[in-house]
Amino acid sequence: QVQVVESGGGLVQAGGSLRLSCAASGSMFSIKAMAWYRQAPGKQRELVASITGGGSANYADSVKGRFTISRDNAKNTVELQMNSLKPEDTAVYYCNDPVSVLLHDHWGQGTQVTVSE
């Protein structure tokens, strides 16, 4: 399991950008896949982007071309660069280890992203 602290959320206008950061701790971080999820009020949590230990990334169709996930294994961090933000991107964003999600469903505090029209 990876312990994480998310930061970087805030209030922005549509079309703006934010960069989220995830500071992680735990053993063998460099070989673990990591991911960003989000959850809007009244909706189920969804996978936004994932990245393997080797740096291969995948994205939800709704954010493809706008968001970029990256990692720095030396710093144990995972970033999510969000550009061209839309009101429908408004949600609490969480960083997590997908294996931990499946086995224990443990989540951190998340960081709020609000996009105004």
Side-chain angles (χ1 to χ4, degrees):
Q1 295 170 257
V2 175
Q3 183 172 243
V4 301
V5 178
E6 301 98 336
S7 62
L11 173 63
V12 297
Q13 293 182 322
S17 298
L18 283 173
R19 186 175 180 86
L20 307 185
S21 183
C22 169
S25 63
S27 62
M28 307 299 285
F29 174 81
S30 64
I31 66 168
K32 293 180 182 293
M34 296 295 292
W36 284 95
Y37 304 78
R38 67 186 181 188
Q39 186 168 30
K43 297 183 179 180
Q44 292 193 355
R45 187 183 298 109
E46 65 173 334
L47 178 65
V48 176
S50 63
I51 186 167
T52 68
S56 297
N58 284 285
Y59 302 91
D61 288 342
S62 59
V63 307
K64 250 184 291 189
R66 300 188 297 121
F67 291 10
T68 302
I69 188 172
S70 61
R71 68 192 297 160
D72 186 337
N73 289 338
K75 296 182 178 180
N76 281 193
T77 59
V78 185
E79 313 292 325
L80 185 68
Q81 178 66 47
M82 306 185 295
N83 299 324
S84 302
L85 284 162
K86 305 174 181 180
E88 49 263 47
D89 295 319
T90 296
V92 177
Y93 284 70
Y94 301 89
C95 176
N96 217 334
D97 166 10
V99 174
S100 182
V101 171
L102 289 172
L103 294 179
H104 304 293
D105 197 27
H106 290 168
W107 300 89
Q109 64 183 15
T111 185
Q112 176 71 49
V113 172
T114 303
V115 185
S116 62
E117 296 189 33

